[in-house]
Amino acid sequence: MSVLDDIIVGVREDLAARESALPLSRVMPDAQAQQPALDAHAALKGDGSGGLEVIAEVKRSSPSKGSLASITDPAALAARYERGGAAVVSVLTEQRRFQGSLADLDAVRAEVGIPVLRKDFTVADYQIWEARAHGADLVLLIVAALGDAQLEHLLGLTHELGMNALVEAHTAEEVDRAAAVDARLIGINVRNLKTLDIDRSVFADLALRIPAGTVTIAESGVRDAADVEQFAAQGASAVLVGEALVRHDNPESTIGEFRAAGRNARQGVHS
């Protein structure tokens, strides 16, 4: 069993417990009562100035690195991300491997005025309704975890609820599958979720497969501004960053450095 498969087993167990405690029939009215979702696609597409956008992650732990940061106040951290210029805040809500929760999502949503990504392993309609009920504007759909029909269905439900989906791929086949369902935001994860290995070199070739007009996001593996510059030069519109921010004393300045590095790379490509 791969790491991703093992995580999904736990996700389904936890999902069943939540659904038993709070049936979908009770979640749906809460989702429908929310203010309309913020436009994460527009936020990540950028303003046309040539800059690179940052998805800044509230992340306490990961299967590959273990504990990263205690993050006793996720709302305060998210507010710092917003002040630093992040376009989107990503909130891990998976408990077993990432020590996240829906309470973190609630706290962040109440604090920031930018789009919020509920970052979890989405495998069922319930999780999308649940995300919207807790104010998420964006959900994660991992191609490797879903069949084609399921991917298309979950993406369609996401759009029906006015949200966007970050559709994550790691291989050429997965990028093509994401493109086939007309994903508007495609993330290339340079960490293989089946093995947890990082290979930044996969990004360049896979980015070339993404259809024009689609927002291309580099996920994982961002250590510093040099990595951001490389991803931007290879076609990234945005980067998703967790560890490099939660372990830094001044995430605002780090986000600024990353955005500047992306701008410099893009100007170099187009000059």
Side-chain angles (χ1 to χ4, degrees):
M1 180 180 289
S2 72
V3 175
L4 177 60
D5 292 335
D6 187 47
I7 291 173
I8 295 296
V9 169
V11 164
R12 290 190 180 278
E13 290 176 357
D14 294 342
L15 169 60
R18 293 198 309 278
E19 193 165 7
S20 177
L22 190 68
L24 180 59
S25 61
R26 292 174 56 191
V27 175
M28 292 172 72
D30 290 340
Q32 292 164 338
Q34 289 287 329
Q35 293 294 317
L38 300 177
D39 190 345
H41 178 268
L44 293 169
K45 186 177 181 181
D47 58 9
S49 64
L52 176 133
E53 303 300 338
V54 174
I55 303 174
E57 195 149 80
V58 177
K59 183 177 185 179
R60 294 189 179 89
S61 180
S62 75
S64 61
K65 294 291 184 69
S67 180
L68 300 174
S70 58
I71 311 182
T72 57
D73 190 343
L77 178 59
R80 298 185 70 180
Y81 288 163
E82 183 175 27
R83 288 196 298 272
V88 170
V89 175
S90 170
V91 182
L92 270 298
T93 61
E94 196 278 337
Q95 172 65 42
R96 299 187 185 205
R97 301 295 189 96
F98 295 89
Q99 299 178 24
S101 69
L102 287 166
D104 290 344
L105 179 61
D106 291 336
V108 170
R109 172 70 288 162
E111 182 66 28
V112 302
I114 57 178
V116 175
L117 164 64
R118 189 250 178 119
K119 188 132 181 279
D120 210 324
F121 297 78
T122 306
V123 293
D125 292 19
Y126 185 92
Q127 292 164 287
I128 295 177
W129 283 99
E130 185 179 52
R132 186 81 279 268
H134 287 267
D137 309 288
L138 186 64
V139 296
L140 177 70
L141 299 177
I142 300 175
V143 175
L146 303 168
D148 289 342
Q150 190 180 24
L151 175 62
E152 185 172 22
H153 169 74
L154 293 176
L155 181 61
L157 177 58
T158 302
H159 291 161
E160 286 175 22
L161 296 184
M163 293 188 289
N164 280 283
L166 171 53
V167 181
E168 179 179 296
H170 178 76
T171 66
E173 178 195 12
E174 291 171 9
V175 170
D176 293 346
R177 290 177 58 204
V181 296
D182 295 324
R184 303 171 71 203
L185 303 169
I186 296 181
I188 296 173
N189 195 340
V190 302
R191 183 186 301 283
N192 185 330
L193 288 182
K194 296 182 179 180
T195 64
L196 301 185
D197 294 334
I198 287 278
D199 182 0
R200 294 174 188 81
S201 69
V202 305
F203 183 84
D205 288 341
L206 296 185
L208 293 174
R209 302 182 74 91
I210 295 178
T214 305
V215 175
T216 302
I217 300 163
E219 300 181 51
S220 301
V222 174
R223 299 162 297 187
D224 51 33
D227 288 333
V228 174
E229 190 167 350
Q230 174 181 314
F231 286 139
Q234 294 170 344
S237 302
V239 291
L240 188 151
V241 188
E243 181 181 349
L245 294 177
V246 300
R247 286 185 160 174
H248 200 285
D249 291 337
N250 191 339
E252 298 97 325
S253 67
T254 304
I255 291 170
E257 290 170 9
F258 287 176
R259 297 190 75 208
R263 186 178 302 109
N264 292 340
R266 287 179 154 199
Q267 289 173 348
V269 168
H270 296 295
S271 62

